[in-house]
Amino acid sequence: EVLDLASVVQLVRRRAHHARVVVDGVAYAPHRAIDVRAWGVDFYVFSNYKVWGPHVATMYLSHEAAHELYSSGAMQNGPNHSFVDPKDVPYKMELGGVNHEGCAGILGLQAYLRALAAAWQQQQQQQQ
């Protein structure tokens, strides 16, 4: 069963205004288009290998959630090194040394995902 994520997020927002919505998209990502903005989620995570990429995870973090992490002081000391500027939220969220082969694979995956997104958008326009 595929839930209407936008409706779930709206329900959460109505009942718990300050809650952050975190979605594990590992089972969804290989089968449907991901639209974090339309859903209104704060975090969305999945494994790239599920969409024929390298064994590296992807995490989306909304601007609002990133700002909250920064302004709350949660990013001052972790999860990455203390010498990393807390304002550099993407880098601050990157744990350990990166796998260079995985990074190269993500760059290659980008073209594939963009092609899928374009095909999906075209299909949506034809249905309207």
Side-chain angles (χ1 to χ4, degrees):
E1 177 182 1
V2 177
L3 297 176
D4 178 358
L5 191 51
S7 296
V8 172
V9 171
Q10 289 173 5
L11 177 67
V12 169
R13 301 277 187 237
R14 280 195 307 269
R15 294 189 178 186
H17 303 287
H18 299 293
R20 288 292 174 201
V21 178
V22 180
V23 177
D24 177 353
V26 73
Y28 185 89
H31 303 288
R32 301 260 173 39
I34 298 167
D35 195 344
V36 292
R37 290 190 179 125
W39 297 331
V41 300
D42 299 299
F43 298 87
Y44 189 88
V45 218
F46 69 94
S47 300
N48 286 314
Y49 77 89
K50 291 288 193 167
V51 293
W52 299 280
H55 282 224
V56 178
T58 292
M59 180 176 77
Y60 163 81
L61 172 64
S62 72
H63 291 287
E64 294 81 12
H67 176 73
E68 182 179 298
L69 283 172
Y70 171 69
S71 63
S72 71
M75 297 305 293
Q76 296 298 322
N77 296 316
N80 207 331
H81 301 290
S82 59
F83 57 81
V84 174
D85 184 351
K87 293 179 186 175
D88 191 357
V89 175
Y91 183 44
K92 197 72 170 161
M93 297 297 291
E94 189 177 286
L95 299 176
V98 293
N99 171 317
H100 298 287
E101 296 84 0
C103 291
I106 290 172
L107 293 175
L109 181 62
Q110 180 181 12
Y112 171 70
L113 293 177
R114 285 180 189 230
L116 283 180
W120 180 80
Q121 287 175 341
Q122 183 179 17
Q123 181 185 24
Q124 294 299 310
Q125 290 171 349
Q126 290 173 348
Q127 290 177 356
Q128 293 176 354

